[in-house]
Amino acid sequence: MMNFVVKTLANAGALGVAIWLLQDITLTGDSTGKKVLTLILVALVFGLVNFLVKPVVQLLTLPLFILTLGLITLVVNALMLLLTSWLAGLVDLSFHVEGFWTAVLGGLIISVVSWALNVVLPDGD
């Protein structure tokens, strides 16, 4: 359970950094509390997408992964971020990613920050 909380907080932090750095990734809310709650809910959706959908997409793109020496991972991460944005819109969360290239850069930022946070945060279960 602790591992799940740590990974969700790391995802929320990484999403927060991407929102802060990129103007085309937006999170809106009336107050700071609502923004934080929305960010945590988006992090849960993002974690769910990465847990359920990403392995299937990676398996289907395995030949491209080998052909591009792993660079297709940037595209897969961007697609997962766009899917999260779409799902957030369906459940009325105020999170939006504008455009594919913004998603590519956002996915790169989220990957780096999430990795760094997972290294720093405790990983006890």
Side-chain angles (χ1 to χ4, degrees):
M1 181 66 172
M2 180 67 166
N3 193 24
F4 172 75
V5 172
V6 168
K7 287 196 181 298
T8 301
L9 290 176
N11 277 339
L15 284 163
V17 170
I19 291 165
W20 180 61
L21 289 175
L22 301 174
Q23 67 181 7
D24 288 337
I25 298 179
T26 56
L27 178 80
T28 55
D30 298 337
S31 65
T32 303
K34 278 199 175 245
K35 285 183 180 179
V36 169
L37 180 62
T38 301
L39 186 61
I40 291 172
L41 291 174
V42 169
L44 286 170
V45 171
F46 186 67
L48 191 63
V49 165
N50 280 329
F51 180 73
L52 296 175
V53 178
K54 191 173 183 179
V56 174
V57 173
Q58 285 177 331
L59 182 63
L60 294 175
T61 60
L62 185 62
L64 286 174
F65 182 82
I66 294 168
L67 185 65
T68 64
L69 302 175
L71 289 177
I72 193 70
T73 304
L74 292 173
V75 174
V76 170
N77 288 342
L79 293 174
M80 296 304 107
L81 190 57
L82 286 170
L83 180 59
T84 300
S85 174
W86 179 72
L87 289 172
L90 287 180
V91 295
D92 204 28
L93 294 173
S94 56
F95 173 76
H96 184 68
V97 178
E98 185 67 39
F100 175 76
W101 293 110
T102 301
V104 170
L105 189 54
L108 184 62
I109 291 169
I110 291 168
S111 295
V112 170
V113 173
S114 181
W115 169 80
L117 287 174
N118 279 314
V119 167
V120 173
L121 293 173
D123 193 21
D125 222 8

